[in-house]
Amino acid sequence: MSLDELYRQVILDHYRNPRRSGTLVAPDAHADGNNPLCGDEIGVSVNVQDDRVAEVTFQGAGCSISQSSASMMTAAVKGKTIAEVRALTRAFKSMMSIEDTIADDAGTEP
């Protein structure tokens, strides 16, 4: 099996069997995002306990890439500390050449 085939299988698995798809009754934080160019929409809800992501869910509509990415992201951050999630976010944005604009708890840029 080639690496491309493996990537396709992982993406399709997360698309067909999304992890942590749904809503939280009383999330500590929630964010919505959309891509007006293609119509993808994602909402992410998080509960934090003792500085760790205790629960994270997503809801959305869109292509297999956007939905499977949200599923993979929830799996990657559950159980991580807030600092670890920020580090993962920075690493991903750097890899994708996206400017980092995450504000810290005081509302200032990191």
Side-chain angles (χ1 to χ4, degrees), residues 34-53:
N34 68 17
N35 183 337
L37 297 175
C38 66
D40 292 340
E41 298 177 352
I42 300 287
V44 178
S45 297
V46 178
N47 279 338
V48 177
Q49 185 175 17
D50 299 326
D51 196 45
R52 289 194 178 273
V53 175

mmCIF file of all heavy atoms in Angstrom, residues 34-53:
data_model
loop_
_atom_site.group_PDB
_atom_site.id
_atom_site.type_symbol
_atom_site.label_atom_id
_atom_site.label_comp_id
_atom_site.label_asym_id
_atom_site.label_seq_id
_atom_site.Cartn_x
_atom_site.Cartn_y
_atom_site.Cartn_z
ATOM 1 N N ASN A 34 -16.021 28.966 8.954
ATOM 2 C CA ASN A 34 -16.539 28.548 7.657
ATOM 3 C C ASN A 34 -15.598 29.014 6.565
ATOM 4 O O ASN A 34 -14.802 29.920 6.758
ATOM 5 C CB ASN A 34 -17.964 29.047 7.420
ATOM 6 C CG ASN A 34 -18.049 30.546 7.265
ATOM 7 O OD1 ASN A 34 -17.061 31.224 7.016
ATOM 8 N ND2 ASN A 34 -19.230 31.088 7.421
ATOM 9 N N ASN A 35 -15.694 28.350 5.454
ATOM 10 C CA ASN A 35 -14.936 28.719 4.274
ATOM 11 C C ASN A 35 -15.946 29.152 3.225
ATOM 12 O O ASN A 35 -16.610 28.311 2.616
ATOM 13 C CB ASN A 35 -14.101 27.537 3.774
ATOM 14 C CG ASN A 35 -13.246 27.904 2.594
ATOM 15 O OD1 ASN A 35 -13.520 28.851 1.859
ATOM 16 N ND2 ASN A 35 -12.187 27.138 2.390
ATOM 17 N N PRO A 36 -16.093 30.467 3.012
ATOM 18 C CA PRO A 36 -17.107 30.939 2.072
ATOM 19 C C PRO A 36 -16.831 30.532 0.625
ATOM 20 O O PRO A 36 -17.738 30.533 -0.195
ATOM 21 C CB PRO A 36 -17.067 32.459 2.229
ATOM 22 C CG PRO A 36 -15.743 32.759 2.841
ATOM 23 C CD PRO A 36 -15.345 31.555 3.633
ATOM 24 N N LEU A 37 -15.585 30.149 0.329
ATOM 25 C CA LEU A 37 -15.263 29.754 -1.041
ATOM 26 C C LEU A 37 -15.837 28.392 -1.405
ATOM 27 O O LEU A 37 -16.216 28.153 -2.549
ATOM 28 C CB LEU A 37 -13.750 29.753 -1.253
ATOM 29 C CG LEU A 37 -13.076 31.115 -1.100
ATOM 30 C CD1 LEU A 37 -11.569 30.965 -1.215
ATOM 31 C CD2 LEU A 37 -13.610 32.091 -2.126
ATOM 32 N N CYS A 38 -15.898 27.483 -0.407
ATOM 33 C CA CYS A 38 -16.384 26.140 -0.734
ATOM 34 C C CYS A 38 -17.618 25.737 0.081
ATOM 35 O O CYS A 38 -18.235 24.716 -0.201
ATOM 36 C CB CYS A 38 -15.281 25.105 -0.541
ATOM 37 S SG CYS A 38 -14.761 24.906 1.164
ATOM 38 N N GLY A 39 -17.954 26.514 1.119
ATOM 39 C CA GLY A 39 -19.146 26.220 1.901
ATOM 40 C C GLY A 39 -18.926 25.330 3.112
ATOM 41 O O GLY A 39 -19.877 25.018 3.817
ATOM 42 N N ASP A 40 -17.690 24.920 3.387
ATOM 43 C CA ASP A 40 -17.422 24.098 4.571
ATOM 44 C C ASP A 40 -17.724 24.898 5.830
ATOM 45 O O ASP A 40 -17.406 26.083 5.916
ATOM 46 C CB ASP A 40 -15.958 23.655 4.623
ATOM 47 C CG ASP A 40 -15.588 22.678 3.525
ATOM 48 O OD1 ASP A 40 -16.501 22.046 2.962
ATOM 49 O OD2 ASP A 40 -14.390 22.552 3.241
ATOM 50 N N GLU A 41 -18.344 24.231 6.807
ATOM 51 C CA GLU A 41 -18.661 24.842 8.096
ATOM 52 C C GLU A 41 -18.280 23.881 9.209
ATOM 53 O O GLU A 41 -18.572 22.690 9.125
ATOM 54 C CB GLU A 41 -20.152 25.151 8.193
ATOM 55 C CG GLU A 41 -20.651 26.136 7.171
ATOM 56 C CD GLU A 41 -22.148 26.370 7.255
ATOM 57 O OE1 GLU A 41 -22.830 25.648 8.010
ATOM 58 O OE2 GLU A 41 -22.622 27.275 6.576
ATOM 59 N N ILE A 42 -17.637 24.417 10.252
ATOM 60 C CA ILE A 42 -17.239 23.613 11.407
ATOM 61 C C ILE A 42 -17.517 24.422 12.662
ATOM 62 O O ILE A 42 -17.208 25.614 12.729
ATOM 63 C CB ILE A 42 -15.724 23.264 11.380
ATOM 64 C CG1 ILE A 42 -15.358 22.466 10.144
ATOM 65 C CG2 ILE A 42 -15.305 22.540 12.659
ATOM 66 C CD1 ILE A 42 -15.815 21.041 10.145
ATOM 67 N N GLY A 43 -18.073 23.777 13.669
ATOM 68 C CA GLY A 43 -18.207 24.337 15.003
ATOM 69 C C GLY A 43 -17.499 23.406 15.971
ATOM 70 O O GLY A 43 -17.660 22.185 15.886
ATOM 71 N N VAL A 44 -16.696 23.955 16.869
ATOM 72 C CA VAL A 44 -15.948 23.160 17.834
ATOM 73 C C VAL A 44 -16.310 23.625 19.235
ATOM 74 O O VAL A 44 -16.325 24.821 19.512
ATOM 75 C CB VAL A 44 -14.421 23.301 17.617
ATOM 76 C CG1 VAL A 44 -13.647 22.508 18.652
ATOM 77 C CG2 VAL A 44 -14.038 22.873 16.212
ATOM 78 N N SER A 45 -16.606 22.667 20.116
ATOM 79 C CA SER A 45 -16.913 22.952 21.510
ATOM 80 C C SER A 45 -15.927 22.217 22.407
ATOM 81 O O SER A 45 -15.547 21.071 22.111
ATOM 82 C CB SER A 45 -18.333 22.493 21.856
ATOM 83 O OG SER A 45 -19.279 23.201 21.097
ATOM 84 N N VAL A 46 -15.526 22.887 23.491
ATOM 85 C CA VAL A 46 -14.498 22.328 24.371
ATOM 86 C C VAL A 46 -14.897 22.511 25.824
ATOM 87 O O VAL A 46 -15.420 23.553 26.209
ATOM 88 C CB VAL A 46 -13.143 23.041 24.140
ATOM 89 C CG1 VAL A 46 -12.076 22.512 25.075
ATOM 90 C CG2 VAL A 46 -12.700 22.920 22.707
ATOM 91 N N ASN A 47 -14.636 21.484 26.622
ATOM 92 C CA ASN A 47 -14.690 21.583 28.079
ATOM 93 C C ASN A 47 -13.283 21.372 28.596
ATOM 94 O O ASN A 47 -12.584 20.454 28.148
ATOM 95 C CB ASN A 47 -15.628 20.549 28.692
ATOM 96 C CG ASN A 47 -17.072 20.972 28.613
ATOM 97 O OD1 ASN A 47 -17.383 22.149 28.495
ATOM 98 N ND2 ASN A 47 -17.967 20.012 28.669
ATOM 99 N N VAL A 48 -12.864 22.235 29.514
ATOM 100 C CA VAL A 48 -11.525 22.184 30.085
ATOM 101 C C VAL A 48 -11.653 21.893 31.575
ATOM 102 O O VAL A 48 -12.500 22.467 32.256
ATOM 103 C CB VAL A 48 -10.781 23.521 29.869
ATOM 104 C CG1 VAL A 48 -9.410 23.500 30.530
ATOM 105 C CG2 VAL A 48 -10.671 23.832 28.384
ATOM 106 N N GLN A 49 -10.810 20.983 32.044
ATOM 107 C CA GLN A 49 -10.786 20.652 33.469
ATOM 108 C C GLN A 49 -9.327 20.504 33.876
ATOM 109 O O GLN A 49 -8.558 19.766 33.221
ATOM 110 C CB GLN A 49 -11.546 19.350 33.731
ATOM 111 C CG GLN A 49 -11.676 19.008 35.185
ATOM 112 C CD GLN A 49 -12.556 17.774 35.381
ATOM 113 O OE1 GLN A 49 -12.812 17.011 34.453
ATOM 114 N NE2 GLN A 49 -12.999 17.585 36.599
ATOM 115 N N ASP A 50 -8.928 21.206 34.927
ATOM 116 C CA ASP A 50 -7.548 21.152 35.419
ATOM 117 C C ASP A 50 -6.544 21.448 34.302
ATOM 118 O O ASP A 50 -5.536 20.761 34.163
ATOM 119 C CB ASP A 50 -7.240 19.797 36.061
ATOM 120 C CG ASP A 50 -8.127 19.509 37.261
ATOM 121 O OD1 ASP A 50 -8.475 20.464 37.986
ATOM 122 O OD2 ASP A 50 -8.484 18.335 37.458
ATOM 123 N N ASP A 51 -6.831 22.479 33.505
ATOM 124 C CA ASP A 51 -5.964 22.940 32.422
ATOM 125 C C ASP A 51 -5.781 21.917 31.302
ATOM 126 O O ASP A 51 -4.835 21.969 30.533
ATOM 127 C CB ASP A 51 -4.595 23.382 32.963
ATOM 128 C CG ASP A 51 -3.824 24.222 31.962
ATOM 129 O OD1 ASP A 51 -4.423 25.134 31.360
ATOM 130 O OD2 ASP A 51 -2.626 23.945 31.762
ATOM 131 N N ARG A 52 -6.681 20.947 31.205
ATOM 132 C CA ARG A 52 -6.635 19.944 30.134
ATOM 133 C C ARG A 52 -7.964 19.934 29.382
ATOM 134 O O ARG A 52 -9.010 20.194 29.949
ATOM 135 C CB ARG A 52 -6.396 18.545 30.695
ATOM 136 C CG ARG A 52 -5.010 18.343 31.209
ATOM 137 C CD ARG A 52 -4.713 16.859 31.433
ATOM 138 N NE ARG A 52 -3.359 16.707 31.888
ATOM 139 C CZ ARG A 52 -2.301 16.599 31.087
ATOM 140 N NH1 ARG A 52 -2.462 16.586 29.787
ATOM 141 N NH2 ARG A 52 -1.094 16.484 31.581
ATOM 142 N N VAL A 53 -7.891 19.570 28.114
ATOM 143 C CA VAL A 53 -9.101 19.404 27.311
ATOM 144 C C VAL A 53 -9.768 18.118 27.791
ATOM 145 O O VAL A 53 -9.305 17.016 27.515
ATOM 146 C CB VAL A 53 -8.774 19.329 25.807
ATOM 147 C CG1 VAL A 53 -10.027 19.028 25.003
ATOM 148 C CG2 VAL A 53 -8.113 20.620 25.337
#
